[in-house]
Amino acid sequence: MATPQAKIKTQTTKTRPNRASHLPVRVLPEMRYNFFLAIDGDLTDKDFDRLVQLNSEMRFERTAEGVIEIMPPPKGDTGAKNHRIGLQLGIWTDEDGTGVAFGSSSGFKLPNCATRSPDASWVERSRLAALSLKQRKEYFPLCPDFVLELRSSTDRLKRLKEKMQEYIANGARLGWLIDPIERKVYVYRADAEVEVLDNPAMLSGDPVLPGFTLDLTKIWEPDF
């Protein structure tokens, strides 16, 4: 049986060198197939941006090695859970005033050159103020202080754990991996062992997010 081909749109310019290179593109295991994307020349940050823009129905990330990962959009229940989490973080952020909260549509270029889009994140305002106007219009060249990943029914837990370790290695001070399937939360902190919580009702963000408490009640048991 032939390997299924993903429909990825690409666009090249006449100024590109007339040579083909194979860009490694990883379709995650839950999507059941892999393929290579042929482009002209090397993939620059602008090329990556264009690829994302031309395929807005997909979600792209890029590893430190330059491999593109393509993920399906979240299913209904996961989308609702993401919204509840983002709403709680956003309300606290506005009240606290010391940082800015971001959702899954925001990309960050980590110090190791990976481009990641956590499901929710938070960055201190002082770090954002240090960015130039040009940097603010691109993927922020930093790792958030706080990152959160929510496991969906199609996510491999091993891969999410690897991403959380990557965030911590690149400067995140607090990370939460929330697994509604097993009702567990993995808490990541800089210079500390991973803490595993079984079916917690609440999560405290202290001291990185002072006073923030995430209510997990409707994450474990959606009300629809």
Side-chain angles (χ1 to χ4, degrees), residues 180-202:
I181 299 172
E182 301 293 338
R183 290 202 176 198
K184 293 179 183 290
V185 175
Y186 299 84
V187 180
Y188 293 77
R189 299 185 181 87
D191 301 319
E193 295 293 325
V194 179
E195 182 181 4
V196 183
L197 307 177
D198 290 305
N199 197 30
M202 312 285 282

Side-chain angles (χ1 to χ4, degrees), residues 49-97:
D49 290 344
R50 188 60 178 157
L51 181 64
V52 173
Q53 292 168 5
L54 289 170
N55 299 276
S56 58
E57 72 280 7
M58 300 179 182
R59 180 178 172 185
F60 292 83
E61 291 186 332
R62 185 164 51 169
T63 70
E65 295 74 31
V67 177
I68 291 180
E69 298 178 337
I70 304 175
M71 291 155 284
K75 296 182 179 179
D77 60 343
T78 301
K81 292 171 184 177
N82 270 326
H83 175 72
R84 289 188 181 280
I85 290 171
L87 187 62
Q88 293 183 64
L89 179 62
I91 290 174
W92 173 83
T93 297
D94 288 344
E95 294 175 347
D96 176 73

Side-chain angles (χ1 to χ4, degrees), residues 1-218:
M1 180 180 295
T3 301
Q5 296 298 309
K7 296 180 179 179
I8 304 294
K9 304 182 187 73
T10 62
Q11 181 170 313
T12 59
T13 66
K14 294 181 179 179
T15 58
R16 289 283 182 199
N18 187 24
R19 62 186 179 85
S21 63
H22 283 85
L23 169 70
V25 178
R26 176 182 300 154
V27 178
L28 299 179
E30 53 267 24
M31 296 181 73
R32 300 178 184 274
Y33 55 85
N34 297 312
F35 60 93
F36 285 86
L37 176 65
I39 62 170
D40 290 334
D42 299 323
L43 184 78
T44 66
D45 287 344
K46 288 184 178 180
D47 292 329
F48 180 70
D49 290 344
R50 188 60 178 157
L51 181 64
V52 173
Q53 292 168 5
L54 289 170
N55 299 276
S56 58
E57 72 280 7
M58 300 179 182
R59 180 178 172 185
F60 292 83
E61 291 186 332
R62 185 164 51 169
T63 70
E65 295 74 31
V67 177
I68 291 180
E69 298 178 337
I70 304 175
M71 291 155 284
K75 296 182 179 179
D77 60 343
T78 301
K81 292 171 184 177
N82 270 326
H83 175 72
R84 289 188 181 280
I85 290 171
L87 187 62
Q88 293 183 64
L89 179 62
I91 290 174
W92 173 83
T93 297
D94 288 344
E95 294 175 347
D96 176 73
T98 62
V100 179
F102 299 91
S104 60
S105 61
S106 297
F108 298 86
K109 190 165 186 179
L110 307 186
N112 70 346
C113 294
T115 302
R116 297 298 187 188
S117 300
D119 289 322
S121 58
W122 181 91
V123 182
E124 281 191 349
R125 286 186 180 275
S126 60
R127 298 181 65 203
L128 296 174
L131 300 179
S132 67
L133 291 178
K134 182 176 183 295
Q135 288 174 320
R136 296 183 191 189
K137 296 181 183 297
E138 301 172 346
Y139 298 119
F140 289 147
L142 53 79
C143 183
D145 297 282
F146 165 72
V147 293
L148 182 150
E149 293 284 356
L150 176 68
R151 185 188 183 191
S152 71
S153 59
T154 59
D155 282 330
R156 299 292 180 92
L157 184 59
K158 179 177 182 293
R159 173 183 166 273
L160 291 177
K161 288 181 176 180
E162 290 172 350
K163 284 180 68 175
M164 298 304 296
Q165 293 287 5
E166 181 182 52
Y167 289 134
I168 295 299
N170 279 271
R173 294 187 287 145
L174 175 65
W176 291 342
L177 170 52
I178 300 176
D179 182 0
I181 299 172
E182 301 293 338
R183 290 202 176 198
K184 293 179 183 290
V185 175
Y186 299 84
V187 180
Y188 293 77
R189 299 185 181 87
D191 301 319
E193 295 293 325
V194 179
E195 182 181 4
V196 183
L197 307 177
D198 290 305
N199 197 30
M202 312 285 282
L203 289 175
S204 171
D206 291 332
V208 178
L209 309 176
F212 175 57
T213 301
L214 180 64
D215 184 354
L216 293 173
T217 304
K218 292 182 179 178

